[in-house]
Amino acid sequence: MSQEIEIGLGKKARLAYSLDDVAIVPSRRTRDPQDVSTAWQIDAYEFDIPVIAAPMDSVTSPETAIEMGRLGGLGVLDLEGLWTRYEDPKPLLDEIATLPEGQATRRMQEIYAEPIKPELITQRLHEIRKAGVTVAGALSPQRTQELYSTVIEAGVDLFVIRGTAVSAEHVSTDHEPLNLKKFIYDLDVPVIVGGATNYTAALHLMRTGAAGVLVGFGGGAVSGTLNTIGLQAPMATAIADIAEARRDYMDESGGRYVQLIADGGMGSSGNFIKAFALGADAVMLGSPLARATEAPGHGMHWGSEARHQTLPRGKRTNVGTVAPLKEILYGPSHQADGTTNFIGALRRAMASTGYVDVKNFQRCSVVVTSSGR
Amino acid sequence: MSQEIEIGLGKKARLAYSLDDVAIVPSRRTRDPQDVSTAWQIDAYEFDIPVIAAPMDSVTSPETAIEMGRLGGLGVLDLEGLWTRYEDPKPLLDEIATLPEGQATRRMQEIYAEPIKPELITQRLHEIRKAGVTVAGALSPQRTQELYSTVIEAGVDLFVIRGTAVSAEHVSTDHEPLNLKKFIYDLDVPVIVGGATNYTAALHLMRTGAAGVLVGFGGGAVSGTLNTIGLQAPMATAIADIAEARRDYMDESGGRYVQLIADGGMGSSGNFIKAFALGADAVMLGSPLARATEAPGHGMHWGSEARHQTLPRGKRTNVGTVAPLKEILYGPSHQADGTTNFIGALRRAMASTGYVDVKNFQRCSVVVTSSGR
Amino acid sequence: MSQEIEIGLGKKARLAYSLDDVAIVPSRRTRDPQDVSTAWQIDAYEFDIPVIAAPMDSVTSPETAIEMGRLGGLGVLDLEGLWTRYEDPKPLLDEIATLPEGQATRRMQEIYAEPIKPELITQRLHEIRKAGVTVAGALSPQRTQELYSTVIEAGVDLFVIRGTAVSAEHVSTDHEPLNLKKFIYDLDVPVIVGGATNYTAALHLMRTGAAGVLVGFGGGAVSGTLNTIGLQAPMATAIADIAEARRDYMDESGGRYVQLIADGGMGSSGNFIKAFALGADAVMLGSPLARATEAPGHGMHWGSEARHQTLPRGKRTNVGTVAPLKEILYGPSHQADGTTNFIGALRRAMASTGYVDVKNFQRCSVVVTSSGR
Amino acid sequence: MSQEIEIGLGKKARLAYSLDDVAIVPSRRTRDPQDVSTAWQIDAYEFDIPVIAAPMDSVTSPETAIEMGRLGGLGVLDLEGLWTRYEDPKPLLDEIATLPEGQATRRMQEIYAEPIKPELITQRLHEIRKAGVTVAGALSPQRTQELYSTVIEAGVDLFVIRGTAVSAEHVSTDHEPLNLKKFIYDLDVPVIVGGATNYTAALHLMRTGAAGVLVGFGGGAVSGTLNTIGLQAPMATAIADIAEARRDYMDESGGRYVQLIADGGMGSSGNFIKAFALGADAVMLGSPLARATEAPGHGMHWGSEARHQTLPRGKRTNVGTVAPLKEILYGPSHQADGTTNFIGALRRAMASTGYVDVKNFQRCSVVVTSSGR
């Protein structure tokens, strides 16, 4: 691992880069934007666009999951969110959207103290299934053991296990930790698991048989992880490291290609595009989709970290409402702030650098600018 | 290509520098400001000053193109702007200048949806010709095929093809792309083409026979390219790289010297001067000239990126009005903010470092300051 | 000493890193937060948590020292502060808390001009002793000679000598400087001494026989040392350097392990945690505890530098009041700003990186992020 | 010259450091502040403190020059300022202090258009001489030829030639430039000359026989040089480079030691102290002394760059009034913002790092902090 520097005698550190630290540079060839492909496939599931709506209550409801599917992407429902705790969460979503700044965390801690109801998991997944789109739901590693059979019986196409710093080697003294390898092997459904933020953790997750690995802690725009517990995994470095793990794992596994899904910290279309340039196959979006007219958060955005009962590591953030989901994905844009037309922007970036599909675009050149030095 | 660093395992990046990252340092010799020459020549055309007014509606109208010529520089009319879409664009320029912040892009999209009228191209170029100054007009690569014969028949001295990330190897599936080499060879008029932002792209453009290459994406002050599509080409690095391409091309061509014209991101006289120090022969100015009393944008400034129909990558910016064009170029200044007396400032910088002309000034020493580390 | 760069010809400098410059990165293993130990021991004294309340009047009164002890940590009373100058300092604490911004320093200079009364030292230490918690008091190096016997006779468990840039080799022409080695040898009580900010100074302090060394100038949040006298010792580098001194001293002393206590600049739980990751065994907290409901400063915070009679090097700072001391240490948090639940956050960081105790956590990986490059 | 990096292909640059980029670090030894010496000597003139009041109308009048002398330092009168253009400049100083922001430069250009009167030069220098302090006056290189005999006849102890980027090899086509070497040789009075900002220029100035060299462009706080003409010479690097030139010149001259006087950019006592740590023997202060109650600028501050008739490169800046000159130099401070007690701060910095005089203090260790990376 290169770029090591010495913090002080006897303590070395790597330099790590965020997406804001880098920029894509054109090469000598250009192309028409309409000539590039943005298709993405994981396991047997094909999508027009490599975009996944994050399992966050401010982003994905059964309704917006369905709309994401119809628009060519994938929506993942948080199976530990309000939709599986309350029969009708809409009044609570309305309340959260209007809580005064200083009281939001405390009230959300109360609202999310309500137990999860397995029958609501079943009901929500059925609602999405009925619409004919790909069905995906997410659990945290802590609750997977307890709830996964409900999920499987209800029927999902893709199973997402998503937490902060998920590892394949969790140690616990008071309970048997989830054996991810056995769990995934036994399951009939492809699993996406993460977040991983480094080569080793990701390689171990790939070895569990996961179809996709989430890169990042999730919830970039709403995360206070650095401030509260001192941890940070700058995204550009994390993606590039794990792309290398994917290559190495492909070699050791005799050709199994694990999808790399960047998760968190991509608030603008510019950063969304850089994630692919660094090595992502798909991107899980939070705040950009929380800005949709249809978003259940009404322009407020929060992740599961923000409602932790004793150590919240993020907060409800006002990201505003800018356009319908369709315009956020496909435009047209009527401003240049990187909040709409994500796919049009991706097409143009690929065209400006001469690449025909996302896989090839991962090879494009990047520079580190002064913000990243 | 040196200065490579590792973003993460398996993804390397260069460090790239903007003009703000560098500063010129004095050497041991000084000189009187009146003893230096700021003359510039491209093909057979000679200018007192190495300054080109950018083909942007906020900067160059037929009137200001004429005034630029009379003041010793060059004005380039945007042949896809308002002056070739409307018989009388002045009411529209007035309207754009007074649009509320949030509505400007959308209304500009409407205004610029009006088709280009070939007869107006002819008329505008004739207006400039009549004044006896050097005549130059700009088209985008996309429209060059369609409109160039109109332009040539109307008569221009210099033909400018200007777009974002222009390459000599554009690939398209639904139309035959412009063959720049053949196009320039067939043309009787010297061509300036760009923007190029890297060694290879620029070298290919030089091989097409262009008399000058534009360096940069254009529209620095008004560009949202990084935010929307993740691309950025920091100017100091781009100029230095392409200066090397110029040297190499001079060698391979047996002595053809291609003019290097820095385009975009030079809002202050300080950055304007640094462009020469890095290797530019001339500079295309946007925002500094949009601040002229005579500027058609009335202190507002926008580029063609800002009015793109589906993916605007810049916005109308309020740069204000500071002084007549003559004072912006030749002073005297009555403030020290780098908005006036660009030529006086260039003379003083050359004098302080002891160089007699712009070509020699390209060799001056620069440092990277903390803003660029 | 690596990472040397050249400031100019003939002047080299090291790169030095603050805690804000670095972040902790997860490794491949995770663990349950309840499975980690936060215990700390110095000499014969054992603590549940590696947290020391700084000897500052805004943080530690006899009452809060007692409460710190009851909560599992240690409170150190400033024996040169208001509690040993005034029989009843509470009205003065109230006054300081309400002084207008511009007048605070001057009035504090007056208040602290009152002489120290040895009998009050005795009385305050007895108050703490009576409560049954570990008793610790701090003197500056300048006053140690004069006052230490009073302190020893009153009875302390831990003796703290705390100043800016304390060295074991102080030179003076008008008085015999404190011979730390002899002083500590003669004393029956374990001594914590500092601040040291570099390898050599710390090694010399370790050789005096100190049980613990304070790392840093103290008073990060309230210090104007850089601005006034140009000195700064970025904390991450200081801790890492002195951790190396601890290793080398352990070798030369045949196994004596000196406790390394980071002091100053840890305003958030994130930075508090990074101090351990860099090599600290315990942390002396100022501003985080000044935010306690019980804090004697009522949300204002100042160090002894702020009341220097001729050269104040810090100022009274409004840090606000956020929660009872117990919540600041143990939570629960109701916001994600890193001001509460320091121990919960430390547990989670250790769990996320898979370490079981603080000593092992010192080995965790860190990265330098763009704020530190 | 090390630390070279590549801006782009074929353009290299050094990394250059400002005083804000560095910090002084303590070493293992400390000392009592009263045991250090701040004495300074140039030629036969001895001073208690290494502080020179800059020849700027906002700082030095005949009165404040006298007061500086009485306080142990040196005041240098600008012989091209208001005091030699007007019999009674006080009403004009009052007017400048109260001009509205936007009109200051233009009105100052008018006020300074008044010709210099040689008889006023004589009169002002006599006023200072009568007070019995060391007499020093400054001319720009452009006016030295014309006015120096007046100055010499009036009588000065130290002659200062001060301009931006002064070189010993000025080239001019319309007049014989000042031959510094011959000029200084012929003169009976020791000469201080500058600003130089690099090794070579400084070495050439030393070879002219100057007793002291000014380092820097002057007028840090009020300079717009970077913005207007793209030049900048970060001070830490400039001082260190020129300290090396001093060593090399001492060798080649067989032992002549040229005084290195840092000039400009030292607005706080912290940066003032760092200048010595980098290699300065004395410091010329502008803004810190413009903050004196007695300062002729009444809290406004401007240099000669700010009143240039066609290309002002600085502006009148409001630095405020903080304390009498004596308190600015010797304290006591009643705030920690680095605006007062410069000498007390210098003593403390020297004491904290264990050095006994300024010459030895030049060897102290510095680090580059994150602001300078």
Side-chain angles (χ1 to χ4, degrees):
Chain A
M1 301 219 188
S2 67
Q3 308 288 336
E4 263 204 350
I5 55 149
E6 193 183 76
I7 298 293
L9 298 168
K11 188 81 185 184
K12 297 217 170 353
R14 269 178 95 192
L15 297 180
Y17 296 86
S18 73
L19 295 174
D20 286 331
D21 296 335
V22 302
I24 296 167
V25 282
S27 49
R28 71 190 167 108
R29 188 174 287 119
T30 52
R31 197 173 286 281
D32 283 353
Q34 67 272 23
D35 287 356
V36 309
S37 161
T38 61
W40 177 56
Q41 179 170 356
I42 180 166
D43 202 274
Y45 302 93
E46 295 179 10
F47 302 93
D48 292 347
I49 56 174
V51 179
I52 303 175
M56 301 167 91
D57 280 342
S58 51
V59 172
T60 308
S61 61
E63 283 166 55
T64 60
I66 291 165
E67 193 172 354
M68 274 302 292
R70 289 183 176 152
L71 288 167
L74 173 68
V76 180
L77 192 69
D78 180 0
L79 301 178
E80 300 175 19
L82 294 177
W83 294 91
T84 58
R85 293 178 197 261
Y86 293 94
E87 183 66 42
D88 180 12
K90 291 198 173 173
L92 294 163
L93 286 163
D94 294 351
E95 185 189 348
I96 291 174
T98 54
L99 287 171
E101 180 77 20
Q103 300 163 29
T105 300
R106 192 182 286 262
R107 177 64 184 128
M108 284 164 67
Q109 288 174 327
E110 289 168 14
I111 291 173
Y112 280 91
E114 177 73 18
I116 297 168
K117 323 258 176 330
E119 65 276 17
L120 285 174
I121 292 181
T122 308
Q123 180 184 324
R124 301 311 179 195
L125 293 172
H126 284 183
E127 285 170 43
I128 301 172
R129 172 71 67 201
K130 256 192 299 185
V133 301
T134 308
V135 181
L139 290 175
S140 67
Q142 291 77 18
R143 309 298 287 267
T144 297
Q145 202 97 289
E146 168 195 347
L147 297 169
Y148 85 92
S149 56
T150 307
V151 178
I152 296 302
E153 275 157 34
V156 287
D157 298 319
L158 290 160
F159 192 107
V160 178
I161 302 177
R162 182 178 187 252
T164 319
V166 168
S167 81
E169 293 183 69
H170 188 77
V171 182
S172 177
T173 53
D174 77 342
H175 63 274
E176 179 68 20
L178 180 67
N179 183 329
L180 264 177
K181 192 163 188 175
K182 186 171 179 316
F183 176 79
I184 291 174
Y185 184 85
D186 290 347
L187 222 59
D188 230 25
V189 172
V191 173
I192 294 170
V193 64
T197 58
N198 63 80
Y199 175 93
T200 316
L203 189 63
H204 280 73
L205 289 181
M206 290 173 185
R207 287 175 180 157
T208 63
V213 169
L214 297 170
V215 178
F217 290 153
V222 291
S223 168
T225 304
L226 179 65
N227 207 35
T228 52
I229 63 170
L231 266 72
Q232 195 184 26
M235 198 52 136
T237 295
I239 297 174
D241 276 4
I242 295 178
E244 183 79 358
R246 179 179 57 196
R247 276 184 289 271
D248 289 351
Y249 175 67
M250 199 162 26
D251 188 55
E252 82 173 42
S253 67
R256 220 172 70 82
Y257 186 91
V258 180
Q259 300 295 319
L260 196 162
I261 300 158
D263 176 13
M266 278 148 297
S268 68
S269 54
N271 278 0
F272 161 76
I273 291 165
K274 292 180 207 169
F276 297 104
L278 270 304
D281 298 299
V283 167
M284 184 171 269
L285 290 182
S287 56
L289 306 183
R291 294 192 201 102
T293 318
E294 307 92 328
H298 305 299
M300 287 293 176
H301 185 43
W302 64 94
S304 57
E305 306 88 10
R307 45 151 158 116
H308 191 280
Q309 299 298 313
T310 58
L311 189 67
R313 295 183 304 288
K315 61 173 183 166
R316 190 201 58 169
T317 305
N318 188 348
V319 296
T321 297
V322 303
L325 190 52
K326 192 178 171 185
E327 263 183 54
I328 287 176
L329 291 173
Y330 294 108
S333 296
H334 301 299
Q335 58 280 329
D337 56 5
T339 60
T340 50
N341 204 355
F342 275 59
I343 299 306
L346 175 59
R347 287 183 172 278
R348 177 156 289 269
M350 292 168 71
S352 295
T353 50
Y355 295 100
V356 290
D357 57 31
V358 169
K359 186 67 209 165
N360 276 288
F361 183 58
Q362 293 173 352
R363 289 161 33 210
C364 79
S365 294
V366 295
V367 292
V368 171
T369 63
S370 36
S371 67
R373 273 193 299 268
Chain B
M1 301 218 187
S2 67
Q3 309 287 337
E4 264 204 350
I5 55 148
E6 193 182 76
I7 297 293
L9 298 168
K11 188 82 185 184
K12 296 216 168 358
R14 269 177 93 193
L15 298 179
Y17 296 87
S18 73
L19 294 174
D20 286 330
D21 296 335
V22 302
I24 296 167
V25 281
S27 49
R28 72 191 167 107
R29 188 173 287 118
T30 52
R31 197 173 286 280
D32 283 354
Q34 68 271 24
D35 287 356
V36 310
S37 161
T38 62
W40 176 58
Q41 180 170 356
I42 180 166
D43 202 273
Y45 301 94
E46 295 179 8
F47 303 93
D48 292 345
I49 56 173
V51 178
I52 303 175
M56 301 168 91
D57 280 343
S58 51
V59 172
T60 309
S61 61
E63 283 166 54
T64 59
I66 291 165
E67 193 172 355
M68 273 304 291
R70 289 183 175 151
L71 288 167
L74 174 66
V76 180
L77 192 69
D78 180 1
L79 301 177
E80 300 175 19
L82 294 178
W83 294 91
T84 59
R85 293 179 196 261
Y86 294 94
E87 184 64 43
D88 179 13
K90 290 199 173 172
L92 294 162
L93 287 162
D94 294 350
E95 184 190 348
I96 291 174
T98 54
L99 287 170
E101 179 76 19
Q103 299 164 30
T105 301
R106 193 182 285 262
R107 177 65 184 128
M108 284 164 66
Q109 288 173 327
E110 289 168 14
I111 291 172
Y112 281 91
E114 177 73 18
I116 295 167
K117 323 255 173 339
E119 63 277 15
L120 284 175
I121 292 181
T122 308
Q123 181 184 323
R124 300 312 179 195
L125 293 172
H126 284 184
E127 286 171 42
I128 301 172
R129 172 70 67 199
K130 258 193 298 186
V133 301
T134 308
V135 181
L139 290 176
S140 67
Q142 291 77 17
R143 311 295 289 268
T144 297
Q145 202 97 287
E146 169 195 348
L147 297 169
Y148 85 92
S149 55
T150 307
V151 177
I152 297 301
E153 276 157 34
V156 287
D157 299 319
L158 290 159
F159 192 105
V160 178
I161 302 176
R162 182 178 187 252
T164 320
V166 169
S167 81
E169 293 183 68
H170 188 77
V171 182
S172 177
T173 53
D174 77 343
H175 64 274
E176 180 67 20
L178 179 68
N179 183 328
L180 264 178
K181 191 162 189 175
K182 187 174 178 317
F183 175 79
I184 290 174
Y185 184 85
D186 290 348
L187 221 60
D188 232 24
V189 171
V191 173
I192 294 170
V193 64
T197 57
N198 64 80
Y199 176 92
T200 316
L203 190 63
H204 279 75
L205 290 180
M206 289 172 186
R207 287 175 181 158
T208 63
V213 168
L214 297 170
V215 179
F217 291 153
V222 291
S223 168
T225 304
L226 179 65
N227 208 34
T228 52
I229 63 169
L231 268 72
Q232 196 184 24
M235 198 53 135
T237 295
I239 297 173
D241 276 4
I242 295 179
E244 183 80 357
R246 179 180 58 196
R247 276 184 289 271
D248 290 350
Y249 176 67
M250 199 162 27
D251 188 56
E252 83 174 41
S253 68
R256 220 173 70 81
Y257 186 92
V258 180
Q259 300 294 320
L260 196 162
I261 301 157
D263 177 12
M266 278 147 298
S268 68
S269 54
N271 278 0
F272 161 77
I273 290 165
K274 292 180 207 169
F276 297 104
L278 270 303
D281 298 300
V283 167
M284 184 172 268
L285 291 181
S287 57
L289 305 183
R291 293 192 202 103
T293 318
E294 306 92 328
H298 306 297
M300 287 292 177
H301 185 45
W302 64 95
S304 57
E305 307 88 9
R307 44 150 160 116
H308 192 279
Q309 299 299 311
T310 59
L311 189 68
R313 295 184 301 289
K315 59 173 183 165
R316 192 201 57 169
T317 305
N318 188 348
V319 296
T321 297
V322 302
L325 189 52
K326 192 178 170 185
E327 263 183 53
I328 287 176
L329 292 173
Y330 295 107
S333 296
H334 301 298
Q335 58 281 327
D337 56 4
T339 61
T340 50
N341 204 355
F342 274 60
I343 299 306
L346 175 60
R347 286 184 173 278
R348 177 156 289 270
M350 292 168 70
S352 295
T353 50
Y355 294 101
V356 289
D357 57 29
V358 169
K359 186 64 210 165
N360 276 288
F361 183 57
Q362 293 173 354
R363 291 160 32 210
C364 79
S365 294
V366 296
V367 292
V368 171
T369 62
S370 37
S371 68
R373 272 194 297 269
Chain C
M1 300 219 188
S2 68
Q3 308 288 337
E4 263 205 349
I5 56 149
E6 193 183 75
I7 298 293
L9 298 168
K11 188 82 186 184
K12 296 215 169 358
R14 268 178 96 192
L15 298 179
Y17 297 86
S18 73
L19 294 175
D20 286 330
D21 296 335
V22 302
I24 296 166
V25 282
S27 50
R28 73 188 165 108
R29 187 173 289 118
T30 52
R31 195 173 286 280
D32 283 354
Q34 68 272 24
D35 287 356
V36 309
S37 161
T38 62
W40 178 57
Q41 178 169 357
I42 180 165
D43 202 273
Y45 301 93
E46 295 179 9
F47 302 93
D48 292 346
I49 56 173
V51 178
I52 303 175
M56 301 167 90
D57 280 342
S58 51
V59 173
T60 309
S61 61
E63 282 166 57
T64 60
I66 291 165
E67 193 171 355
M68 274 302 292
R70 289 184 175 152
L71 288 167
L74 173 68
V76 180
L77 192 69
D78 180 1
L79 301 178
E80 300 176 21
L82 295 178
W83 294 92
T84 58
R85 293 178 197 263
Y86 293 94
E87 183 67 42
D88 179 13
K90 290 198 173 175
L92 294 163
L93 287 163
D94 293 351
E95 185 191 347
I96 291 174
T98 54
L99 287 171
E101 178 78 20
Q103 300 164 29
T105 301
R106 191 182 286 262
R107 177 66 183 126
M108 284 165 66
Q109 288 173 327
E110 289 168 14
I111 291 173
Y112 281 92
E114 177 73 18
I116 296 168
K117 324 256 177 329
E119 64 276 17
L120 285 175
I121 292 182
T122 308
Q123 181 184 325
R124 301 311 179 196
L125 293 173
H126 283 182
E127 285 170 43
I128 301 172
R129 171 72 65 199
K130 256 192 298 186
V133 300
T134 308
V135 180
L139 291 176
S140 67
Q142 290 78 19
R143 310 296 288 269
T144 297
Q145 202 97 288
E146 169 194 347
L147 297 169
Y148 85 91
S149 55
T150 307
V151 177
I152 296 303
E153 276 157 33
V156 287
D157 298 319
L158 290 160
F159 192 105
V160 178
I161 302 177
R162 183 178 186 252
T164 319
V166 169
S167 82
E169 294 183 67
H170 188 77
V171 181
S172 176
T173 53
D174 77 344
H175 63 274
E176 181 67 19
L178 179 68
N179 183 329
L180 264 178
K181 192 163 187 173
K182 186 172 180 317
F183 176 79
I184 290 175
Y185 183 85
D186 290 347
L187 222 59
D188 230 25
V189 171
V191 174
I192 294 170
V193 64
T197 58
N198 63 80
Y199 175 92
T200 316
L203 189 63
H204 279 73
L205 289 181
M206 289 172 185
R207 287 175 180 157
T208 63
V213 169
L214 297 170
V215 179
F217 290 153
V222 291
S223 167
T225 304
L226 179 65
N227 207 35
T228 53
I229 63 169
L231 267 72
Q232 195 184 26
M235 198 51 136
T237 295
I239 297 174
D241 276 5
I242 295 180
E244 183 79 359
R246 180 180 56 197
R247 275 184 290 270
D248 290 352
Y249 176 67
M250 199 161 27
D251 188 55
E252 82 174 41
S253 68
R256 219 171 73 80
Y257 187 90
V258 180
Q259 300 295 320
L260 197 163
I261 301 158
D263 177 13
M266 278 147 297
S268 68
S269 54
N271 278 359
F272 161 76
I273 291 165
K274 292 180 207 169
F276 296 105
L278 270 304
D281 298 299
V283 167
M284 185 171 268
L285 291 181
S287 57
L289 305 184
R291 294 192 201 103
T293 317
E294 306 92 328
H298 305 298
M300 287 293 176
H301 184 46
W302 64 94
S304 56
E305 306 88 11
R307 42 148 160 120
H308 191 280
Q309 299 297 314
T310 59
L311 188 67
R313 295 183 305 288
K315 58 173 184 167
R316 190 202 56 170
T317 305
N318 188 346
V319 297
T321 297
V322 302
L325 190 52
K326 191 177 171 187
E327 263 183 55
I328 287 176
L329 292 174
Y330 295 107
S333 296
H334 301 298
Q335 59 280 330
D337 55 4
T339 60
T340 50
N341 204 354
F342 275 60
I343 299 305
L346 175 60
R347 287 183 172 279
R348 177 157 290 269
M350 293 167 70
S352 294
T353 50
Y355 294 101
V356 289
D357 57 31
V358 169
K359 186 64 209 166
N360 276 289
F361 183 59
Q362 293 173 352
R363 290 161 33 210
C364 79
S365 295
V366 295
V367 292
V368 172
T369 63
S370 36
S371 68
R373 272 194 297 269
Chain D
M1 301 219 189
S2 68
Q3 310 287 338
E4 262 205 349
I5 55 149
E6 193 182 76
I7 298 293
L9 298 168
K11 188 82 185 183
K12 296 215 168 357
R14 267 178 96 193
L15 298 180
Y17 297 86
S18 73
L19 295 175
D20 285 330
D21 296 336
V22 302
I24 296 166
V25 281
S27 48
R28 72 190 166 105
R29 187 174 289 117
T30 52
R31 196 172 286 281
D32 282 354
Q34 68 271 25
D35 287 356
V36 310
S37 160
T38 62
W40 178 57
Q41 177 168 358
I42 180 166
D43 204 273
Y45 301 93
E46 295 179 8
F47 301 93
D48 292 345
I49 56 173
V51 179
I52 303 175
M56 301 167 91
D57 280 343
S58 50
V59 172
T60 308
S61 61
E63 284 166 55
T64 59
I66 291 164
E67 193 171 355
M68 273 303 294
R70 290 183 175 153
L71 288 168
L74 173 67
V76 180
L77 192 69
D78 181 1
L79 301 178
E80 299 176 20
L82 294 178
W83 293 92
T84 59
R85 294 179 196 262
Y86 294 94
E87 184 65 44
D88 179 12
K90 290 198 173 173
L92 294 162
L93 286 163
D94 294 350
E95 185 190 348
I96 291 174
T98 54
L99 287 170
E101 178 77 21
Q103 299 163 31
T105 300
R106 192 182 286 262
R107 177 66 184 128
M108 284 164 66
Q109 288 174 327
E110 289 168 15
I111 290 172
Y112 281 92
E114 178 73 18
I116 295 168
K117 323 258 175 332
E119 62 276 18
L120 284 176
I121 292 182
T122 308
Q123 181 183 322
R124 300 312 178 195
L125 292 172
H126 284 183
E127 286 170 43
I128 300 172
R129 170 71 68 200
K130 257 193 298 187
V133 301
T134 308
V135 180
L139 291 175
S140 68
Q142 290 77 18
R143 310 295 288 269
T144 297
Q145 202 97 288
E146 171 195 346
L147 296 170
Y148 85 91
S149 56
T150 307
V151 177
I152 296 302
E153 277 157 33
V156 287
D157 299 320
L158 290 160
F159 192 105
V160 178
I161 302 177
R162 181 178 187 253
T164 318
V166 169
S167 82
E169 292 183 69
H170 188 77
V171 181
S172 176
T173 54
D174 78 344
H175 65 273
E176 180 67 21
L178 179 68
N179 182 329
L180 264 178
K181 191 164 190 174
K182 187 174 179 316
F183 176 80
I184 290 174
Y185 184 85
D186 290 347
L187 222 59
D188 230 24
V189 171
V191 174
I192 294 170
V193 64
T197 57
N198 63 80
Y199 175 94
T200 316
L203 190 63
H204 280 74
L205 289 181
M206 290 171 185
R207 287 175 180 157
T208 63
V213 169
L214 297 170
V215 179
F217 290 153
V222 291
S223 169
T225 303
L226 179 65
N227 207 36
T228 52
I229 63 169
L231 267 73
Q232 196 183 25
M235 198 53 136
T237 295
I239 297 174
D241 277 5
I242 295 179
E244 182 79 359
R246 179 180 57 197
R247 275 184 289 271
D248 289 352
Y249 175 67
M250 198 162 27
D251 189 56
E252 84 174 40
S253 68
R256 220 172 71 80
Y257 186 91
V258 181
Q259 300 295 319
L260 197 163
I261 300 158
D263 178 13
M266 279 147 297
S268 68
S269 54
N271 278 0
F272 161 77
I273 291 166
K274 292 181 207 169
F276 297 104
L278 269 305
D281 298 299
V283 168
M284 184 172 268
L285 291 181
S287 57
L289 305 183
R291 294 192 200 103
T293 317
E294 306 92 328
H298 306 300
M300 286 293 176
H301 185 44
W302 64 95
S304 56
E305 307 88 9
R307 42 149 161 120
H308 191 280
Q309 299 298 312
T310 59
L311 189 67
R313 295 183 304 288
K315 60 172 185 168
R316 191 201 56 171
T317 305
N318 188 347
V319 296
T321 297
V322 303
L325 190 51
K326 192 177 171 186
E327 263 183 54
I328 287 176
L329 292 174
Y330 295 106
S333 296
H334 301 298
Q335 57 281 328
D337 55 4
T339 61
T340 50
N341 204 355
F342 274 60
I343 298 306
L346 175 59
R347 285 183 174 279
R348 176 156 289 270
M350 292 168 70
S352 295
T353 51
Y355 294 100
V356 289
D357 57 31
V358 169
K359 186 65 209 165
N360 276 288
F361 183 58
Q362 293 173 353
R363 291 162 30 211
C364 79
S365 294
V366 295
V367 292
V368 171
T369 62
S370 37
S371 68
R373 274 194 297 269

